[in-house]
Amino acid sequence: MVKLTIDGREFQAEEEKTILEVASENGIHIPTLCYHEEVSPYGACRLCMVEVTRKGRKRLVASCLYPVAEGLVVRTETPEVNNIRRTVIELLLARCPDSEVVQEMAHDLGVDKPIFSLEEDNHKCILCALCTRVCQEVVGVSAITLVNRGVDRQMATPFYDFSEVCIGCGSCSFVCPTRAISFEDVGDTRVLTMPHVTMEFKLKKCSKCGKYWAPERQLEYIAKTAGIAPEAFDICPDCRD
Ligand code: SF4
Ligand code: FES
């Protein structure tokens, strides 16, 4: 365990925890857009910046990546921290002016209008990589990734086409903070819409009630990885005893 101070309050915390984790556990709010406790931190959005002082040295760090340490002094609200957050959210607002979550966060940080606008359509994607991390670390298929560099950086499937390994589970859509990814079940088909591609997946029909209830690819994947007989999915959860 280590002792640290956050906003003037003293805490004891396990060494492997990050500042963001310790702050959240103790009710101290730090804004985030690319953090999710189920996946490894990535440090993409930079909204979680805080000021740390250690051994007399002061600097600004991303709290989702920075581990706690003995004697660390953390300040989550300083003029410098707030300026950085405002700059970051201005850029995100310029990139994704139609994203409600970005608009709300901008408003909370005192930014109501983008200082400039970008011409290309970014489809609400802020490049937080939550979708790609969930796909890789939680689902285990790596159907999507971030491609290119700099201003050309995008979230994409291989060759911007149907991803042969995607199982259509929609986990990326659930975790996406800006709703840049969505899906809809229409009849016997799931339509998964991503910023640069739309993919369709055939849904499994329940042999008892006739309802279409999950993508066939997803059920095949679960059967294979969990060692369950595929016939176990002939009936939907509602028709099971
Ligand atoms: S699609 Fe959503 S989850 Fe994926 S990188 Fe873009 S904003 Fe993040
Ligand atoms: S939450 Fe830390 S950089 Fe996004």
Side-chain angles (χ1 to χ4, degrees):
M1 299 289 269
V2 294
K3 270 193 198 158
L4 72 154
T5 307
I6 306 179
D7 293 343
R9 290 164 62 195
E10 263 200 13
F11 299 104
Q12 280 205 339
E14 291 157 40
E15 253 169 284
E16 63 275 12
K17 294 216 163 169
T18 61
I19 294 172
L20 180 64
E21 286 171 325
V22 177
S24 319
E25 283 166 14
N26 290 286
I28 297 170
H29 175 68
I30 297 175
T32 65
L33 271 177
C34 74
Y35 174 78
H36 195 291
E37 58 196 13
E38 295 301 327
V39 292
S40 51
Y42 187 64
C45 74
R46 310 316 267 186
L47 277 163
C48 71
M49 296 299 279
V50 294
E51 179 195 280
V52 296
T53 308
R54 197 176 177 207
K55 295 178 182 163
R57 202 170 149 235
K58 197 182 278 189
R59 56 194 182 118
L60 297 172
V61 299
S63 63
C64 67
L65 294 173
Y66 201 87
V68 293
E70 185 64 36
L72 194 68
V73 176
V74 182
R75 291 170 74 202
T76 66
E77 299 268 349
T78 69
E80 290 81 9
V81 164
N82 289 335
N83 271 344
I84 285 203
R85 288 184 189 153
R86 269 199 291 273
T87 304
V88 166
I89 206 71
E90 275 172 356
L91 292 169
L92 289 178
L93 198 57
R95 180 180 170 83
C96 303
D98 298 331
S99 162
E100 280 172 27
V101 71
V102 173
Q103 288 169 1
E104 280 166 22
M105 200 168 275
H107 181 72
D108 291 347
L109 290 166
V111 176
D112 284 314
K113 275 190 193 154
I115 41 169
F116 58 90
S117 60
L118 300 177
E119 279 183 9
E120 74 264 34
D121 183 358
N122 292 297
H123 308 273
K124 292 188 182 174
C125 178
I126 57 168
L127 301 173
C128 71
L130 271 172
C131 54
T132 62
R133 283 177 281 156
V134 162
C135 189
Q136 180 179 11
E137 298 175 25
V138 180
V139 184
V141 299
S142 298
I144 45 181
T145 188
L146 293 185
V147 298
N148 307 328
R149 291 187 181 275
V151 291
D152 295 326
R153 193 103 166 125
Q154 288 178 335
M155 189 286 276
T157 51
F159 307 107
Y160 298 89
D161 205 345
F162 185 88
S163 168
E164 289 302 328
V165 295
C166 183
I167 58 174
C169 67
S171 302
C172 49
S173 158
F174 289 117
V175 81
C176 176
T178 60
R179 301 201 184 146
I181 306 176
S182 62
F183 73 83
E184 192 184 6
D185 291 345
V186 186
D188 64 353
T189 306
R190 170 165 295 182
V191 183
L192 182 60
T193 307
M194 295 185 167
H196 303 285
V197 67
T198 296
M199 296 188 281
E200 294 192 354
F201 300 86
K202 195 162 180 339
L203 293 168
K204 178 94 175 170
K205 188 178 188 178
C206 173
S207 60
K208 213 164 175 180
C209 69
K211 187 174 73 182
Y212 290 99
W213 64 282
E216 290 182 350
R217 275 172 167 253
Q218 182 181 1
L219 298 175
E220 283 159 18
Y221 179 75
I222 295 170
K224 197 168 136 203
T225 51
I228 300 169
E231 305 77 58
F233 297 117
D234 286 348
I235 295 171
C236 74
D238 292 344
C239 291
R240 285 183 207 139
D241 297 330

